[in-house]
Amino acid sequence: MNTYNEGSTSALVADLKAALTAAEEAEHDLSYFSKSKTERGRKESGSYYTPADVCAFFWREYFALKGISTKNEFSVFAKDVRLIEPSAGAGALVFALLLKLAKEGVPKKQISEMEIILVDINEGAIAFLTRQFNWLSQRFGVKFKKLRLICADFKRLKIGSSRKKTVVFGNPPYVANEKGARWKNSFADFTQISLKLSEGDGDIHLIVPLSIAFSRDYAELRANIRAVSGSIVLSNFDNIPDTIFKAGKPQSLNSNKANSQRCTILSLLRGPKKQVLSTPLLRWPKRKRASLLARSPQYVDVSSYRFDDQFPRPQSAALMRYLERADGGLNFGALIDNSGKNVLYVASVARNYLGIREEGAGNAHRLVFKNNDDFCSGLRILSSDLFMAYWLTIGDGFHVTKGNIYDFPISKNLLIQVTRQNRMTKKVWDARYQFIKTKLNAGQPTHSYDFSEAMPSLLDSGKLP
């Protein structure tokens, strides 16, 4: 039964808010759809449900990047696209989309006439979606005639072509593939299929693991994405101290129960303008979650990035300019000389600072310098805000590899600066016990030095090339 008039936008919005709330509540249970309802079962299914605040951010960013802002433009979008969600779950993302359209003034009849294909391998998810859309049909007083709810494995599903622009969106499962598969993880299969389905003038808008931006396992996938004409946009989210997924690790003994999947919202918007935009690796405390997701992140144009085959997570435009101009010259590895006697150890994991050590361990890299000047120059660089920004831009945000260290480009101007500061660096090193930090590792104390506050900025010096 139709419960409100065509012009009753507030009632339409209220019903779609209710549908979104119900979906968010249901998705947590549906993510544990194995009979055992265990955390292991959730991980094996690759289920990370999408919270409502992330859904709102997801669609606000998509329309902002598309330049869609007026009621007429939203109406044209609703009329002209075919929407496909490969792993719909309880429908939080699709209901968030319908809610967004309703808030922008798109009438209920036009919303109900949208061509929507929702796929999920979980029978419970499809049953829930069926009930939800039946309820909305009763509330709207109209049927969703072009809605298809399909219980299937998206990787094996054949979806025909359409005259409409195809927009593939969603939060695909993150599941390890069998050995010998084309991709290490199934999200990459979903992304590759989405590229094919949206060929022509369509888009993809997916929440995928952060590893798509840097892992060698997905170098070919990145090349396939780059080969498409259009804008590539990445919003990159860390998982500490807060994470965009709320599932976390509820049965983990890890002291940080919020620790969960690090993600990238990948948008490929086909069009004549070819560019790559990317955010820094976003980190935020829980108290700032609402403000983070209420605004657009700061994108940096990395279209000219050639340092490696990654999609970088640029900490600043200044850092990107430095990498571009310093590339091809000296790198940090040139300071290393295994015949020397000046030894430094660098912790192989980091978060807010790079841990410098005097003693070796299985979780530290041993760096040997020929003389004391090179030792001081190396220490100065590794303890700088410039190196930290570089590592956050090209690293995975957790592991510090020897490649990260050795490949750091050193411009002539930078080498001059750090060499001039060797006396200052030596004084800091001599006073190193003032900067000691201790952490328990497998019950044993590990001592590292944090010189980040002791070293003047290199990134903001204004003297970088």
Side-chain angles (χ1 to χ4, degrees):
M1 180 178 68
N2 187 356
T3 61
Y4 44 79
N5 297 323
E6 182 66 35
S8 183
T9 300
S10 60
L12 176 62
V13 167
D15 280 345
L16 287 169
K17 280 185 177 178
L20 175 57
T21 299
E24 183 180 28
E25 292 172 353
E27 285 199 339
H28 183 268
D29 291 333
L30 287 172
S31 67
Y32 292 88
F33 75 87
S34 63
K35 292 182 179 180
S36 61
K37 298 288 184 181
T38 63
E39 179 66 11
R40 179 179 178 180
R42 178 183 70 82
K43 288 183 178 180
E44 289 176 350
S45 71
S47 302
Y48 287 90
Y49 73 97
T50 315
D53 54 1
V54 176
C55 294
F57 175 92
F58 181 88
W59 287 116
R60 188 183 67 250
E61 282 307 292
Y62 174 78
F63 289 118
L65 292 168
K66 293 285 289 183
I68 297 175
S69 60
T70 67
K71 177 180 177 180
N72 181 64
E73 288 169 338
F74 279 101
S75 295
V76 170
F77 170 85
K79 179 182 177 182
D80 288 352
V81 301
R82 174 180 69 163
L83 296 160
I84 300 176
E85 186 172 8
S87 183
L93 280 171
V94 72
F95 292 128
L97 169 61
L98 302 186
L99 175 60
K100 173 67 174 175
L101 296 176
K103 286 182 175 180
E104 298 296 339
V106 179
K108 63 175 183 179
K109 188 174 187 300
Q110 190 171 0
I111 290 176
S112 69
E113 291 175 350
M114 294 178 66
E115 186 176 348
I116 304 173
I117 301 174
L118 304 178
V119 183
D120 203 284
I121 199 171
N122 184 355
E123 292 181 1
I126 296 300
F128 179 85
L129 286 168
T130 301
R131 293 193 297 271
Q132 286 292 89
F133 276 101
N134 285 341
W135 178 77
L136 285 175
S137 292
Q138 293 176 348
R139 299 287 295 177
F140 285 17
V142 291
K143 292 186 176 182
F144 290 84
K145 295 180 180 179
K146 297 180 182 179
L147 170 69
R148 293 171 61 191
L149 303 176
I150 304 173
C151 185
D153 182 348
F154 181 74
K155 293 192 293 183
R156 295 175 173 81
L157 183 64
K158 302 296 182 183
I159 299 178
S161 60
S162 173
R163 294 181 179 179
K164 293 185 175 183
K165 300 176 184 178
T166 296
V167 177
V168 185
F169 70 94
N171 176 12
Y174 310 158
V175 182
N177 281 330
E178 295 180 0
K179 189 175 182 179
R182 182 180 185 186
W183 309 111
K184 188 173 181 179
N185 192 288
S186 65
F187 86 85
D189 296 284
F190 279 65
T191 304
Q192 186 67 57
I193 295 169
S194 299
L195 286 172
K196 181 68 175 177
L197 284 171
S198 60
E199 276 183 338
D201 55 1
D203 302 328
I204 67 171
H205 192 50
L206 301 172
I207 305 175
V208 295
L210 181 70
S211 56
I212 195 174
F214 59 82
S215 173
R216 296 180 202 171
D217 295 322
Y218 309 116
E220 182 185 350
L221 182 58
R222 287 193 294 276
N224 294 341
I225 293 170
R226 281 195 178 96
V228 176
S229 178
S231 295
I232 303 166
V233 185
L234 303 98
S235 299
N236 305 298
F237 298 87
D238 205 351
N239 62 347
I240 287 179
D242 193 19
T243 175
I244 64 171
F245 292 137
K246 295 179 180 178
K249 296 181 178 178
Q251 297 182 24
S252 172
L253 297 178
N254 189 324
S255 60
N256 188 342
K257 297 295 195 301
N259 188 19
S260 188
Q261 182 69 46
R262 296 178 300 164
C263 294
T264 291
I265 297 181
L266 170 68
S267 307
L268 176 55
L269 313 173
R270 284 176 169 84
K273 188 173 184 179
K274 198 170 178 65
Q275 63 178 350
V276 183
L277 306 177
S278 185
T279 72
L281 184 57
L282 300 171
R283 292 173 168 176
W284 67 99
K286 284 188 176 181
R287 68 180 183 277
K288 293 187 177 181
R289 178 186 180 93
S291 60
L292 174 90
L293 295 175
R295 64 179 187 272
S296 293
Q298 182 176 356
Y299 297 101
V300 177
D301 191 327
V302 296
S303 304
S304 60
Y305 178 81
R306 297 293 182 271
F307 188 72
D308 53 26
D309 74 345
Q310 294 190 34
F311 292 131
R313 284 73 60 208
Q315 289 301 292
S316 69
L319 185 278
M320 298 309 296
R321 288 193 297 270
Y322 174 79
L323 290 181
E324 183 178 346
R325 296 172 186 175
D327 189 26
L330 190 71
N331 59 33
F332 192 95
L335 299 177
I336 303 299
D337 187 335
N338 290 324
S339 66
K341 296 182 180 180
N342 298 270
V343 181
L344 196 67
Y345 293 90
V346 178
S348 59
V349 297
R351 275 296 181 179
N352 299 318
Y353 71 94
L354 202 68
I356 304 297
R357 299 175 185 170
E358 288 184 87
E359 299 178 355
N363 58 349
H365 302 299
R366 184 174 184 265
L367 306 179
V368 183
F369 302 89
K370 183 177 181 179
N371 52 52
N372 190 62
D373 283 343
D374 286 351
F375 174 90
C376 288
S377 294
L379 175 61
R380 176 71 179 96
I381 290 171
L382 292 173
S383 301
S384 69
D385 56 354
L386 175 61
F387 186 88
M388 176 58 69
Y390 153 82
W391 173 68
L392 287 171
T393 295
I394 58 89
D396 68 4
F398 184 67
H399 300 96
V400 180
T401 69
K402 267 198 172 181
N404 296 155
I405 297 171
Y406 280 45
D407 293 343
F408 175 77
I410 303 176
S411 70
K412 291 181 180 180
N413 190 45
L414 177 64
L415 186 58
I416 291 171
Q417 285 190 69
V418 299
T419 301
R420 287 174 177 172
Q421 296 174 3
N422 276 353
R423 182 176 296 181
M424 179 272 295
T425 303
K426 179 65 165 56
K427 288 182 179 179
V428 172
W429 177 249
D430 289 342
R432 57 191 174 277
Y433 297 109
Q434 299 178 24
F435 308 100
I436 197 166
K437 290 187 176 180
T438 302
K439 289 185 178 181
L440 289 179
N441 185 6
Q444 298 298 317
T446 299
H447 305 293
S448 298
Y449 302 115
D450 175 11
F451 297 123
S452 58
E453 295 297 326
M455 300 293 188
S457 173
L458 290 176
L459 187 59
D460 298 329
S461 67
K463 298 179 181 178
L464 291 177

